[in-house]
PDB file of all heavy atoms in Angstrom:
ATOM      1  N   ASN A  39     -31.360  89.096-114.422  1.00  0.00           N
ATOM      2  CA  ASN A  39     -31.444  89.651-115.784  1.00  0.00           C
ATOM      3  C   ASN A  39     -31.560  91.153-115.728  1.00  0.00           C
ATOM      4  O   ASN A  39     -32.332  91.682-114.920  1.00  0.00           O
ATOM      5  CB  ASN A  39     -32.629  89.042-116.526  1.00  0.00           C
ATOM      6  CG  ASN A  39     -32.377  87.694-117.013  1.00  0.00           C
ATOM      7  OD1 ASN A  39     -31.207  87.274-117.166  1.00  0.00           O
ATOM      8  ND2 ASN A  39     -33.437  86.923-117.213  1.00  0.00           N
ATOM      9  N   GLY A  40     -30.817  91.826-116.595  1.00  0.00           N
ATOM     10  CA  GLY A  40     -30.931  93.302-116.630  1.00  0.00           C
ATOM     11  C   GLY A  40     -30.100  93.982-115.612  1.00  0.00           C
ATOM     12  O   GLY A  40     -30.146  95.247-115.540  1.00  0.00           O
ATOM     13  N   GLY A  42     -26.893  94.301-115.563  1.00  0.00           N
ATOM     14  CA  GLY A  42     -25.768  95.016-116.178  1.00  0.00           C
ATOM     15  C   GLY A  42     -24.514  94.194-116.463  1.00  0.00           C
ATOM     16  O   GLY A  42     -23.458  94.703-116.815  1.00  0.00           O
ATOM     17  N   LYS A  43     -24.643  92.866-116.354  1.00  0.00           N
ATOM     18  CA  LYS A  43     -23.484  91.980-116.533  1.00  0.00           C
ATOM     19  C   LYS A  43     -22.910  92.055-117.963  1.00  0.00           C
ATOM     20  O   LYS A  43     -21.723  92.234-118.109  1.00  0.00           O
ATOM     21  CB  LYS A  43     -23.871  90.525-116.206  1.00  0.00           C
ATOM     22  CG  LYS A  43     -24.506  90.348-114.829  1.00  0.00           C
ATOM     23  CD  LYS A  43     -24.927  88.910-114.514  1.00  0.00           C
ATOM     24  CE  LYS A  43     -25.931  88.280-115.451  1.00  0.00           C
ATOM     25  NZ  LYS A  43     -27.280  88.948-115.389  1.00  0.00           N
ATOM     26  N   SER A  44     -23.779  91.908-118.957  1.00  0.00           N
ATOM     27  CA  SER A  44     -23.282  91.981-120.308  1.00  0.00           C
ATOM     28  C   SER A  44     -22.726  93.366-120.632  1.00  0.00           C
ATOM     29  O   SER A  44     -21.748  93.496-121.340  1.00  0.00           O
ATOM     30  CB  SER A  44     -24.406  91.677-121.305  1.00  0.00           C
ATOM     31  OG  SER A  44     -24.782  90.313-121.146  1.00  0.00           O
ATOM     32  N   THR A  45     -23.347  94.413-120.061  1.00  0.00           N
ATOM     33  CA  THR A  45     -22.808  95.762-120.260  1.00  0.00           C
ATOM     34  C   THR A  45     -21.399  95.833-119.783  1.00  0.00           C
ATOM     35  O   THR A  45     -20.541  96.462-120.454  1.00  0.00           O
ATOM     36  CB  THR A  45     -23.735  96.775-119.523  1.00  0.00           C
ATOM     37  OG1 THR A  45     -25.084  96.654-120.062  1.00  0.00           O
ATOM     38  CG2 THR A  45     -23.248  98.195-119.695  1.00  0.00           C
ATOM     39  N   GLN A  88     -21.178  86.311-127.609  1.00  0.00           N
ATOM     40  CA  GLN A  88     -22.383  85.479-127.451  1.00  0.00           C
ATOM     41  C   GLN A  88     -22.939  85.112-128.794  1.00  0.00           C
ATOM     42  O   GLN A  88     -23.394  84.006-129.012  1.00  0.00           O
ATOM     43  CB  GLN A  88     -23.442  86.245-126.648  1.00  0.00           C
ATOM     44  CG  GLN A  88     -23.083  86.390-125.221  1.00  0.00           C
ATOM     45  CD  GLN A  88     -24.162  87.186-124.525  1.00  0.00           C
ATOM     46  OE1 GLN A  88     -25.269  87.358-125.027  1.00  0.00           O
ATOM     47  NE2 GLN A  88     -23.825  87.690-123.345  1.00  0.00           N
ATOM     48  N   ASP A 176     -19.167  85.619-121.477  1.00  0.00           N
ATOM     49  CA  ASP A 176     -20.565  85.977-121.145  1.00  0.00           C
ATOM     50  C   ASP A 176     -21.459  84.896-121.728  1.00  0.00           C
ATOM     51  O   ASP A 176     -21.702  84.905-122.947  1.00  0.00           O
ATOM     52  CB  ASP A 176     -20.874  87.374-121.737  1.00  0.00           C
ATOM     53  CG  ASP A 176     -22.195  87.890-121.283  1.00  0.00           C
ATOM     54  OD1 ASP A 176     -22.915  87.180-120.528  1.00  0.00           O
ATOM     55  OD2 ASP A 176     -22.534  89.044-121.612  1.00  0.00           O
ATOM     56  N   GLU A 177     -21.911  84.007-120.895  1.00  0.00           N
ATOM     57  CA  GLU A 177     -22.675  82.874-121.348  1.00  0.00           C
ATOM     58  C   GLU A 177     -24.153  83.089-121.001  1.00  0.00           C
ATOM     59  O   GLU A 177     -24.544  82.869-119.860  1.00  0.00           O
ATOM     60  CB  GLU A 177     -22.161  81.561-120.709  1.00  0.00           C
ATOM     61  CG  GLU A 177     -20.678  81.354-120.851  1.00  0.00           C
ATOM     62  CD  GLU A 177     -20.233  81.224-122.275  1.00  0.00           C
ATOM     63  OE1 GLU A 177     -21.045  80.837-123.128  1.00  0.00           O
ATOM     64  OE2 GLU A 177     -19.053  81.530-122.532  1.00  0.00           O
ATOM     65  N   THR A 178     -24.901  83.515-121.954  1.00  0.00           N
ATOM     66  CA  THR A 178     -26.367  83.718-121.637  1.00  0.00           C
ATOM     67  C   THR A 178     -26.963  82.362-121.375  1.00  0.00           C
ATOM     68  O   THR A 178     -26.536  81.308-121.885  1.00  0.00           O
ATOM     69  CB  THR A 178     -27.127  84.277-122.828  1.00  0.00           C
ATOM     70  OG1 THR A 178     -26.718  83.627-123.990  1.00  0.00           O
ATOM     71  CG2 THR A 178     -26.874  85.770-122.957  1.00  0.00           C
ATOM     72  N   ILE A 207     -19.442  84.931-116.746  1.00  0.00           N
ATOM     73  CA  ILE A 207     -20.802  85.449-116.446  1.00  0.00           C
ATOM     74  C   ILE A 207     -21.795  84.375-116.778  1.00  0.00           C
ATOM     75  O   ILE A 207     -21.923  83.973-117.943  1.00  0.00           O
ATOM     76  CB  ILE A 207     -21.077  86.725-117.339  1.00  0.00           C
ATOM     77  CG1 ILE A 207     -19.969  87.777-117.158  1.00  0.00           C
ATOM     78  CG2 ILE A 207     -22.468  87.295-117.013  1.00  0.00           C
ATOM     79  CD1 ILE A 207     -20.072  88.951-118.050  1.00  0.00           C
TER      80      ILE A 207
HETATM   81 MG1   MG B   2     -26.393  89.411-120.270  1.00  0.00          MG
END
Side-chain angles (χ1 to χ4, degrees):
N39 282 337
K43 305 179 299 294
S44 295
T45 300
Q88 287 179 19
D176 188 356
E177 309 297 337
T178 45
I207 305 175

